[in-house]
Amino acid sequence: MVSTDQDTTSKLSTVTLPITGMFCAACAARIEKNLKRSEGVADVNVNFATNNAAITFDPLRTDRENLTAVVRDTGYDVHETLVEESPEERMDWEQKARELEKQILKRKLVFGLLFGIPVAVLGMLHNESNWSSWLQLLLTTPILMYSGNSFYSGAWKSLKHRSADMNTLVALGTGSAYLYSTIVTIFPSLFKQLNSHTMPVYFEAAVTIIVLLLSGRLLESRARASTGDAIRSLMSLAPKFARVIKEGVELDFPVERVVVGDVLLVRPGEKIPVDGRVISGESAVDESMLTGESMPAVKKSGDEVFGATLNGTGAFQFTAAKVGSQTALQQIIRVVQSAQGSKAPIQRIADVVSGIFVPIVLVIAVITFASWMTLSPSGIRVQMALTAFVSVLIIACPCALGLATPTAIIVGSGKGAASGILIKGGESLEKALKITTVILDKTGTITHGKPVLTDIISLGSWNDDSLLQITASAERNSEHPLAEAIVNAAKSRGIALSESSSFKSQTGLGVDTVIDAKAVLVGNVRFMQDNQISIEPIQTFLNQFSEAGKTAIVTAVDSVAVGVLAAADTIKEHSAEAVEAMRQEGLKVVMLTGDNRLTAAAIAKEIGITDVRAEVLPGQKLETIKSFQAAGEIVAMVGDGINDSPALAQADIGISIGTGTDIAMEASDITLISGDLRGVVSAIKLSKATMRTIKQNLFFAFIYNIIGIPVAAGVLYPDFHIMLSPMIASAAMALSSVSVVTNSLRLRNVKIV
């Protein structure tokens, strides 16, 4: 399964290769190292947790086949398929691969237990008779050949490429115990000549190590599979069928057969199959899977709806606008998958350590063996040296180190997606932790981004409804946003509009029309003055609206001002709460806007922002970000992702407000799908929780090896007579990986909102 995207700007392509045969972080490090050395490769990220290699390359110098060949030459394989990859196909492959892996591990484990339990019993009985040794040899050999074959084949591949990994450690440890025991069994007289004691065999150690490692790998496989639950749950939300209306007939089609322009019907309680726009009917739609918002969104004619969201009590028809891989749900899945395959900068520590760890362990193991052969009493010299040698090799596996960062990122980014927060990658997660200043764009970020009618002031014999009726009738043919706000307000009150004639629109001023034989003018103050309309009766209201940052629309009938309406880009419901929450997190909050200073000041005052930068052009926003950065601030820019793109890209963290149609903004690091500013704080909390988990994981992995290797080498034996058994070492190694993954899974329960 291969994913390829062409970057038309840089002329580079990216490919995702699903790799099979990786067993530890050292495996991933070796593949990454060899790919980076390949001609034409610009960047490589091999993720041990997801079994994927994301490669950026120059298509003029190399291609997918060459990259696949490099992976195979390194000793691993690439899963191939003839179909073009989609998120569903990738997850389907990963899930099938996990299931196959678990089935194979189960079979090997069961086989190892059936043959290994008698070996373990004989070993514990310390029956040193020759028949017991021969029986153990006969039972152990098939276990190593079948249950342990992956360790030995992996070690052989590493040896051919002059490298070492986890398989090398396991193969050397168990192989040494097995070969030594086999020689003792076949040539017992040789050892009796060298030693007065009957030499013990260590078949049970080799068998127990293999069985425990398989058990640990099975537990780890199950735990790692749980880290992808977020994407799988998102994908499971997509309906399989759609009800399409063709020539007045309702037909049930598979969702993949729906095309742009199809008219679809959604009944109460059904899932919406694809993205589109409502053309008739009305309902409340549960969009929580998309936005994280628990309250349903009311949908009526002209509103957007999104695939996999759940329809409420009403039925409606809509036109398909985005299908297949273009739907909002598929965009979310792609962003989350990209994030889960990424690395945080902190992982570089683990990568460096993993790359040199195994060779260092081999040296330590050899030194340990030589030391015990030199220092131990002659009667137990070989046993002590072999026990310490095997224990060091087994306990030092770097699996936990390789899982520490990616498993936390997988769970953390999945948690974010479930809460309406899309995080581009591990680097974004790590940088969000360091934010000191949040700069908020006003329009579309703090506010809704479009004006709504806020005030109606009627004069004389006119009342609010009659004023709104004639004003909306005059504006119904205008495409101006203020006109749309007035017309929408009239419709929401159920006011019937009249037809107009002689409609004339003067850009930036207003409209001149005739309604029910009355000459009607609707526009700004200048438009009224140009037409000699007295505005003295409404001057007080005009001043009040101006101070509040609202836009006034004056209506005159037959040359007399009959009222004034006010419209404003209203503040989003939770903006003030979000600003206060940012302050509670110790962040500086700044508002940046191209609007006039009066309007900006009014908005800022209402939500509690004291630092306001108004009348700032898009290019100047970029310079404002740079000035804060020059002062040492770590800046997060929050904008709607359109004219804010330069500023979003310049900021240390760019956070875009999603609108459903642009949920995967290229310029931003984080996207808030619901448009709720509280998501900024949630993203920072998630970043803190994820980074805390990564540091815990790395600490566990490092401290485990720092303590475990010396104990396995026997440093406690001279004073405390404690010698670590290879079986205990293998159990500890297996449980260390499981503990790291389990710790990462706790992120699913973190409260971030």
Side-chain angles (χ1 to χ4, degrees):
M1 185 167 312
V2 179
S3 170
T4 306
D5 300 304
Q6 182 74 28
D7 184 336
T8 56
T9 302
S10 64
K11 304 302 182 184
L12 296 178
S13 293
T14 60
V15 63
T16 300
L17 301 180
I19 297 177
T20 58
M22 286 196 295
F23 294 108
C24 69
C27 302
R30 186 163 67 253
I31 297 170
E32 189 168 291
K33 182 179 180 180
N34 287 348
L35 284 169
K36 283 182 177 177
R37 289 174 173 173
S38 302
E39 182 182 1
V41 173
D43 189 39
V44 182
N45 175 14
V46 180
N47 193 311
F48 171 47
T50 59
N51 291 327
N52 285 324
I55 310 164
T56 302
F57 65 97
D58 183 349
L60 298 178
R61 299 170 62 194
T62 189
D63 55 23
R64 180 185 61 80
E65 287 72 21
N66 289 336
L67 298 173
T68 299
V70 171
V71 174
R72 288 175 174 158
D73 186 58
T74 308
Y76 303 87
D77 204 358
V78 175
H79 176 81
E80 293 287 357
T81 184
L82 296 177
V83 295
E84 184 179 353
E85 181 196 45
S86 69
E88 294 98 329
E89 290 164 353
R90 181 190 299 186
M91 288 302 294
D92 184 56
W93 172 82
E94 289 181 2
Q95 193 166 5
K96 286 180 179 178
R98 295 279 187 214
E99 286 301 319
L100 180 61
E101 179 186 38
K102 284 189 282 187
Q103 290 174 12
I104 293 173
L105 287 171
K106 283 179 183 177
R107 287 197 296 267
K108 290 186 175 184
L109 179 59
V110 170
F111 184 89
L113 287 170
L114 288 175
F115 281 75
I117 289 175
V119 176
V121 171
L122 289 171
M124 287 187 291
L125 292 175
H126 299 289
N127 187 336
E128 297 176 354
S129 61
N130 195 243
W131 71 264
S132 175
S133 297
W134 273 101
L135 180 57
Q136 291 182 62
L137 172 60
L138 292 174
L139 291 171
T140 300
T141 301
I143 293 175
L144 268 61
M145 292 178 65
Y146 175 65
S147 298
N149 68 337
S150 61
F151 299 112
Y152 301 110
S153 62
W156 175 246
K157 290 177 182 177
S158 297
L159 180 62
K160 287 195 301 181
H161 291 86
R162 298 181 296 279
S163 60
D165 58 15
M166 184 204 80
N167 294 311
T168 308
L169 301 180
V170 176
L172 279 175
T174 59
S176 299
Y178 174 78
L179 288 173
Y180 164 77
S181 301
T182 300
I183 295 172
V184 169
T185 301
I186 297 175
F187 305 106
S189 58
L190 174 64
F191 284 88
K192 285 182 180 178
Q193 292 174 4
L194 297 175
N195 199 312
S196 60
H197 298 80
T198 301
M199 301 297 288
V201 292
Y202 291 95
F203 289 117
E204 82 280 3
V207 167
T208 306
I209 288 168
I210 294 294
V211 170
L212 285 173
L213 290 178
L214 289 173
S215 301
R217 188 172 286 179
L218 181 59
L219 290 172
E220 180 189 311
S221 178
R222 287 175 173 172
R224 285 166 65 187
S226 299
T227 61
D229 285 347
I231 290 184
R232 279 189 289 275
S233 62
L234 281 174
M235 291 174 57
S236 68
L237 294 172
K240 303 298 182 185
F241 294 93
R243 188 170 293 108
V244 181
I245 300 176
K246 297 281 190 181
E247 299 179 354
V249 179
E250 298 177 14
L251 302 171
D252 287 340
F253 284 177
V255 169
E256 53 267 23
R257 289 181 56 188
V258 176
V259 297
V260 174
D262 277 350
V263 176
L264 296 91
L265 172 66
V266 182
R267 293 191 175 123
E270 295 180 340
K271 287 183 178 179
I272 298 170
V274 297
D275 295 3
R277 193 174 295 277
V278 177
I279 55 176
S280 66
E282 185 173 326
S283 185
V285 177
D286 180 359
E287 296 183 335
S288 58
M289 54 70 57
L290 187 71
T291 65
E293 291 290 336
S294 58
M295 293 298 294
V298 176
K299 301 293 182 179
K300 56 185 183 300
S301 180
D303 289 340
E304 287 181 305
V305 291
F306 305 100
T309 56
L310 182 63
N311 186 29
T313 56
F316 61 87
Q317 293 183 14
F318 73 99
T319 304
K322 291 183 179 180
V323 300
S325 63
Q326 300 304 310
T327 63
L329 177 64
Q330 295 303 322
Q331 290 185 55
I332 291 174
I333 292 172
R334 279 197 297 274
V335 172
V336 175
Q337 282 185 325
S338 176
Q340 293 186 345
S342 67
K343 292 182 180 179
I346 196 172
Q347 189 172 343
R348 293 172 190 149
I349 300 172
D351 287 346
V352 170
V353 172
S354 296
I356 63 174
F357 191 71
V358 174
I360 291 175
V361 169
L362 290 174
V363 172
I364 293 174
V366 171
I367 293 173
T368 299
F369 183 85
S371 299
W372 282 108
M373 285 295 290
T374 303
L375 301 174
S376 300
S378 60
I380 58 172
R381 183 172 296 163
V382 177
Q383 298 98 303
M384 295 288 286
L386 186 63
T387 297
F389 176 74
V390 174
S391 295
V392 168
L393 290 174
I394 297 302
I395 205 168
C397 174
C399 290
L401 202 59
L403 292 169
T405 300
T407 52
I409 290 175
I410 288 172
V411 180
S413 57
K415 172 74 174 180
S419 304
I421 303 167
L422 290 185
I423 301 170
K424 186 171 286 187
E427 187 173 359
S428 301
L429 263 175
E430 186 167 338
K431 286 194 296 184
L433 181 69
K434 304 171 184 177
I435 294 170
T436 60
T437 298
V438 178
I439 297 180
L440 304 174
D441 177 54
K442 181 184 77 69
T443 306
T445 302
I446 295 172
T447 66
H448 286 95
K450 60 180 181 180
V452 295
L453 194 66
T454 58
D455 300 87
I456 303 175
I457 306 296
S458 53
L459 303 177
S461 61
W462 293 80
N463 59 37
D464 289 356
D465 282 355
S466 61
L467 175 62
L468 181 58
Q469 192 274 341
I470 199 166
T471 306
S473 297
E475 293 277 26
R476 68 186 302 181
N477 294 321
S478 173
E479 297 180 353
H480 195 280
L482 291 175
E484 183 181 0
I486 294 169
V487 172
N488 287 340
K491 288 181 178 179
S492 68
R493 295 192 181 196
I495 296 175
L497 303 185
S498 302
E499 292 293 333
S500 63
S501 59
S502 304
F503 179 85
K504 297 177 183 177
S505 175
Q506 297 188 37
T507 303
L509 296 173
V511 299
D512 180 351
T513 188
V514 175
I515 300 174
D516 297 331
K518 298 183 180 71
V520 179
L521 296 176
V522 177
N524 57 24
V525 171
R526 179 183 166 188
F527 188 52
M528 295 298 139
Q529 292 172 337
D530 290 347
N531 286 277
Q532 287 78 49
I533 305 295
S534 173
I535 58 172
E536 184 176 352
I538 57 172
Q539 188 62 57
T540 300
F541 302 110
L542 293 173
N543 293 340
Q544 292 174 354
F545 294 154
S546 178
E547 291 175 3
K550 298 178 180 179
T551 301
I553 304 102
V554 182
T555 301
V557 177
D558 293 333
S559 301
V560 177
V562 297
V564 59
L565 299 84
D569 182 7
T570 56
I571 296 172
K572 292 180 180 178
E573 181 181 0
H574 299 294
S575 290
E577 180 185 344
V579 169
E580 178 58 28
M582 291 176 204
R583 282 213 188 88
Q584 292 296 325
E585 290 291 320
L587 301 169
K588 299 177 184 177
V589 186
V590 180
M591 188 174 84
L592 201 62
T593 178
D595 273 357
N596 64 75
R597 297 184 185 279
L598 200 60
T599 300
I603 296 292
K605 181 179 180 181
E606 190 168 345
I607 63 171
I609 293 179
T610 55
D611 192 344
V612 182
R613 313 294 172 94
E615 299 177 4
V616 180
L617 299 175
Q620 294 173 322
K621 290 182 180 181
L622 181 69
E623 296 305 316
T624 303
I625 301 291
K626 288 182 178 179
S627 67
F628 276 96
Q629 291 172 327
E633 301 289 340
I634 306 298
V635 179
M637 172 68 192
V638 188
D640 60 14
I642 302 171
N643 61 354
D644 298 318
S645 294
L648 287 168
Q650 174 62 36
D652 298 285
I653 287 286
I655 303 177
S656 66
I657 299 296
T659 63
T661 57
D662 58 354
I663 62 171
M665 297 299 297
E666 286 300 321
S668 61
D669 301 290
I670 298 173
T671 300
L672 309 179
I673 304 174
S674 68
D676 189 337
L677 272 182
R678 292 178 299 178
V680 174
V681 179
S682 295
I684 292 172
K685 288 182 177 178
L686 180 62
S687 169
K688 289 180 178 179
T690 304
M691 292 308 301
R692 184 167 57 247
T693 300
I694 290 173
K695 289 175 182 178
Q696 290 169 352
N697 289 347
L698 289 173
F699 173 79
F700 293 150
F702 277 124
I703 203 70
Y704 160 79
N705 282 309
I706 289 171
I707 295 175
I709 291 175
V711 172
V715 296
L716 298 179
Y717 187 81
D719 294 326
F720 303 99
H721 294 284
I722 295 175
M723 198 72 178
L724 194 64
S725 164
M727 284 85 80
I728 296 175
S730 59
M733 187 276 283
L735 289 175
S736 67
S737 296
V738 176
S739 66
V740 163
V741 178
T742 303
N743 188 50
S744 295
L745 289 172
R746 293 192 307 115
L747 278 169
R748 296 187 296 187
N749 302 317
V750 170
K751 293 184 179 179
I752 60 173
V753 291

